[in-house]
Amino acid sequence: MPKYSVDTVKEALLALEEGGSLRRVAAQFGIPHTTLRDWKRAKYAHLPHPNRALLPSEEEALVSYIFWMAAHGFPITQSVALVLAIQVCKASGRENPFVKMDKGLSRMWWSRFRARHPTVASRRPNSIEAERVHGATVARVDELFHICQALYDQHGFRGTPELIYNCDETGFGDKGSPRKRVLCGKGQRTVYAQQVTTRDHITVHCCACAAGEVIPPFVIFEKCLPSTAYSLEGPPNALYGVSDTGYMDSDLFLKWLQHFVRYARQERPLLLFMDQHEAHVGTGVVDFCRTNQIEVVCLPSHTTHVLQPLDVSVYGPLKAAFTDMARCLGLVRGNLNLGKRNFTPVLKVALEQACNPNNIRSGFRKTGLFPLDRKAVDGSKLVKGLHRPPSDDSSTSPPSTGEDAPTASTTTSIYTDAANAVPDTVPRSPTVDSACDVTEDPSTTNLTVSLHRGPTTTTSTVPKPWGSPASSSSATTTTSPASTSDATIIATASSPITITAAASTSSPTTAVPNTTATGQCPTCRRFPNPLVTAGVIPAALADILLPPRFDRPARRRGGRMPLPARVITSEEHAAFLAAKRAEEARKQQARQDRANQRVIRQQQRAVSAAARTARKTANTVQNTVT
């Protein structure tokens, strides 16, 4: 969605009429000069068709729906938008000889629709994991900057970029695809590029400070080191290690911390940002960092694409430079197989190109870590996730996610954005009525609701619920003057709906709750579309413009919950680790005690069995003698 509005464009057009330059005015108002030129040429001044398929209010609702879906990670395509538009046209019941209901709307209608709504754009979507959608929230980012503000003020990091570091690892080994265009004959549809890299997984752990200085990298090979002199042509002063899988583990990370202390600035304290990988937050890491006066801030889980400086501006150019260098070597040596043996020379060249001070400082600036600026974080990368509040019948045990992972229920039924409140950029539909206003249709089967309050009975008629199982045409609601405080709803497809609610002895009437236990509105018997209650679409289109549904919980049983930002070298975390170690020691002692008791019981049973055998033998001998 563009950052300018139609009013801004109008102001820019007035500035052009006063004699301003096109490019200067476009730069002043933040509008692309080509877009401003099209507005000046009246490209978007299309008059509405006298027999247009959708009313202006319906088009505005469709645009709001498109923006809402894109903001929540479920963007729709042009074909889906055309299907929704023809469904809205059919639901309206209007006769239009220019619209063929069986074939749908034409491409001309779509082009004019885009001209009437220039804020609707077409982009290629970027894939994102569901964990990043639910983890990278505004609340998590705000919590991180709240922690950073306290640390920066406490240790004076605001003016010392050379003391602020970020470390992260990235993997090499997947067959990288070429990133640059190649030359070929005209009309040749397929051009093959010979693969020059292998699938040997190699991890490179990099670290840099906000001033642009780089710590020598840590290269981790899979299973064994190369047989040749791999370190001679590699990055200078680099550290090398081996693991069974080629990934980082706790022992290797402790080894890298010693390497980091050797090459980092000698001033103390230092500030180190890193992710919450299980190899980074062990007890040995915390003790080592506290001993060497290194403040370690763990970024929130699944937010490295937004808050990790190396991920934002270094690793992308690094992978591109490595792939391009490998391709160039393949042109010289046709039998080149880039594996562990010749990996380090290519890595050295790629690091020199990508890990430069400009890229590093740009990463810290874009993530807002230095200078410390919350507004520098790109809000467009924070997708609004479809969160659902826990219901009363959810019973899930908290998963084992780490050291101080939060717990949450997973069985939910209603969408909410309370925990993911991204600054609202979705326009509201001007025809929205969030209140419950259902028009009575004589052709619709009605439900009769009877409320018995003592000697009197109140009967009302409401429309048949939509989106619910088929029910009988009449429903009787019975209210008993019980002393309970909650309303109990029992409804089946073949039996009438019975509502047993509490009636206070001091009040002659009982207030009907806003929603029932199933989320159904007791007034209109509808299951409201959350987009209607949020003010995105009007209630008349609630059956057509629907949000994605969750048939399963957002998090499977035993899954990991996103961890918030935390300072693992703080006194609070040290106390937490001490309490955790004490609890683990207590549990281990309890397990050992139970094991000892089992051994004692087994010994007692063995002694008892031996005694029984001895008595039986003695009785047998005595009987034989007698």
Side-chain angles (χ1 to χ4, degrees):
M1 183 178 177
K3 298 180 180 179
Y4 55 88
S5 61
V6 179
D7 297 335
T8 306
V9 175
K10 292 180 180 180
E11 294 178 2
L13 292 176
L14 292 177
L16 286 179
E17 293 179 359
E18 295 176 357
S21 173
L22 177 65
R23 291 183 179 271
R24 187 177 300 125
V25 172
Q28 177 183 355
F29 289 91
I31 305 173
H33 71 278
T34 54
T35 303
L36 187 59
R37 181 190 59 195
D38 293 340
W39 276 90
K40 183 180 179 181
R41 295 176 180 177
K43 178 180 178 181
Y44 302 118
H46 289 283
L47 296 176
H49 197 276
N51 294 304
R52 59 194 304 177
L54 301 182
L55 298 178
S57 59
E58 295 172 343
E59 288 190 359
E60 292 293 338
L62 180 59
V63 170
S64 300
Y65 178 74
I66 292 174
F67 292 157
W68 190 92
M69 294 291 286
H72 288 76
F74 298 93
I76 63 176
T77 60
Q78 174 183 340
S79 59
V80 175
L82 289 174
V83 171
L84 294 176
I86 195 63
Q87 292 297 327
V88 172
C89 186
K90 290 180 180 179
S92 64
R94 296 186 302 270
E95 295 183 0
N96 194 329
F98 297 94
V99 179
K100 297 181 180 180
M101 296 296 180
D102 53 343
K103 294 185 178 181
L105 299 175
S106 62
R107 294 182 179 178
M108 179 61 70
W109 179 88
W110 176 254
S111 63
R112 289 183 174 273
F113 173 81
R114 289 285 302 274
R116 290 190 295 269
H117 303 280
T119 54
V120 178
S122 178
R123 297 285 185 272
R124 290 185 181 273
N126 298 323
S127 299
I128 186 173
E129 297 86 355
E131 291 80 4
R132 293 188 182 272
V133 173
H134 298 284
T137 64
V138 173
R140 300 292 190 190
V141 176
D142 292 341
E143 185 176 1
L144 170 66
F145 279 89
H146 179 73
I147 293 175
C148 291
Q149 184 177 2
L151 278 177
Y152 281 41
D153 295 338
Q154 179 182 357
H155 299 290
F157 288 134
R158 293 185 182 272
T160 56
E162 66 277 1
L163 303 181
I164 303 175
Y165 289 86
N166 172 230
C167 70
D168 188 28
E169 60 261 13
T170 184
F172 293 83
D174 294 336
K175 295 184 177 181
S177 58
R179 297 171 179 263
K180 291 185 177 180
R181 292 180 176 270
V182 296
L183 302 178
C184 63
K186 189 174 183 179
Q188 185 177 355
R189 296 187 176 182
T190 304
V191 180
Y192 291 105
Q194 182 175 335
Q195 186 69 43
V196 296
T197 58
T198 63
R199 288 187 177 273
D200 295 334
H201 184 82
I202 302 174
T203 298
V204 178
H205 189 89
C206 298
C207 182
C209 69
E213 301 174 0
V214 181
I215 301 294
F218 183 23
V219 183
I220 304 174
F221 294 103
E222 181 181 0
K223 295 182 180 179
C224 64
L225 294 173
S227 58
T228 58
Y230 54 90
S231 62
L232 296 180
E233 299 180 354
N237 300 321
L239 182 66
Y240 299 93
V242 178
S243 67
D244 294 336
T245 60
Y247 292 92
M248 179 76 72
D249 56 25
S250 300
D251 296 335
L252 291 177
F253 191 71
L254 280 174
K255 182 180 179 181
W256 175 84
L257 281 176
Q258 299 173 1
H259 176 75
F260 168 75
V261 171
R262 185 180 305 114
Y263 289 97
R265 290 294 185 99
Q266 299 303 316
E267 293 86 347
R268 292 295 184 272
L270 300 178
L271 180 60
L272 179 63
F273 289 97
M274 64 182 184
D275 56 27
Q276 304 212 37
H277 191 272
E278 57 185 6
H280 299 169
V281 295
T283 305
V285 174
V286 175
D287 295 340
F288 182 87
C289 292
R290 287 175 60 87
T291 303
N292 291 271
Q293 299 181 15
I294 302 174
E295 295 287 350
V296 180
V297 177
C298 290
L299 302 174
S301 301
H302 312 301
T303 60
T304 56
H305 64 294
V306 182
L307 300 175
Q308 187 91 266
L310 293 178
D311 277 352
V312 170
S313 63
V314 175
Y315 282 159
L318 177 62
K319 293 291 186 67
F322 183 86
T323 303
D324 294 341
M325 187 63 185
R327 296 291 176 186
C328 293
L329 291 176
L331 297 177
V332 179
R333 294 179 53 187
N335 61 343
L336 177 66
N337 187 5
L338 189 60
K340 293 194 299 184
R341 296 180 56 185
N342 44 19
F343 173 80
T344 53
V346 181
L347 177 65
K348 176 182 177 181
V349 178
L351 285 173
E352 293 175 354
Q353 297 180 10
C355 293
N356 55 71
N358 292 332
N359 288 347
I360 296 172
R361 286 193 291 263
S362 175
F364 278 91
R365 183 177 63 254
K366 290 180 180 179
T367 55
L369 297 181
F370 190 87
L372 190 63
D373 183 12
R374 168 64 180 85
K375 297 180 180 179
V377 179
D378 188 1
S380 62
K381 294 183 179 180
L382 304 178
V383 182
K384 291 183 178 180
L386 295 179
H387 297 268
R388 297 168 296 173
S391 60
D392 296 336
D393 57 350
S394 61
S395 59
T396 57
S397 58
S400 176
T401 60
E403 298 177 353
D404 55 350
T407 58
S409 302
T410 59
T411 307
T412 50
S413 60
I414 303 174
Y415 304 108
T416 178
D417 290 330
N420 223 10
V422 178
D424 194 5
T425 58
V426 180
R428 303 299 184 186
S429 176
T431 60
V432 166
D433 184 6
S434 59
C436 182
D437 55 349
V438 180
T439 306
E440 294 231 3
D441 188 358
S443 62
T444 305
T445 305
N446 296 329
L447 297 177
T448 302
V449 181
S450 300
L451 299 178
H452 300 277
R453 295 185 178 92
T456 61
T457 301
T458 304
T459 303
S460 61
T461 303
V462 296
K464 184 179 179 180
W466 65 278
S468 59
S471 58
S472 58
S473 59
S474 62
T476 304
T477 303
T478 306
T479 305
S480 60
S483 59
T484 59
S485 59
D486 297 331
T488 304
I489 297 94
I490 303 174
T492 59
S494 58
S495 62
I497 302 176
T498 303
I499 303 179
T500 305
S504 176
T505 55
S506 61
S507 176
T509 59
T510 302
V512 182
N514 293 332
T515 56
T516 61
T518 59
Q520 185 182 16
C521 178
T523 305
C524 62
R525 296 297 173 190
R526 293 168 63 97
F527 294 88
N529 188 329
L531 299 185
V532 177
T533 57
V536 179
I537 63 174
L541 303 179
D543 295 336
I544 301 175
L545 305 179
L546 299 173
R549 289 188 57 188
F550 283 106
D551 296 331
R552 293 179 298 178
R555 179 176 59 86
R556 67 184 185 277
R557 184 184 296 271
R560 291 176 176 263
M561 288 291 294
L563 296 177
R566 52 181 177 169
V567 183
I568 63 174
T569 53
S570 62
E571 296 294 338
E572 294 79 4
H573 191 74
F576 169 79
L577 290 180
K580 182 180 179 181
R581 287 194 293 266
E583 181 66 17
E584 291 178 352
R586 186 190 63 80
K587 292 181 180 180
Q588 181 65 23
Q589 184 64 34
R591 287 193 294 267
Q592 186 64 33
D593 293 343
R594 290 194 295 269
N596 295 336
Q597 292 176 3
R598 286 195 298 269
V599 172
I600 293 174
R601 287 195 296 268
Q602 291 175 359
Q603 294 176 354
Q604 292 176 352
R605 286 195 293 267
V607 171
S608 301
R612 287 194 300 270
T613 303
R615 289 195 299 270
K616 185 182 296 184
T617 303
N619 294 334
T620 302
V621 172
Q622 184 177 3
N623 294 333
T624 303
V625 173
T626 56

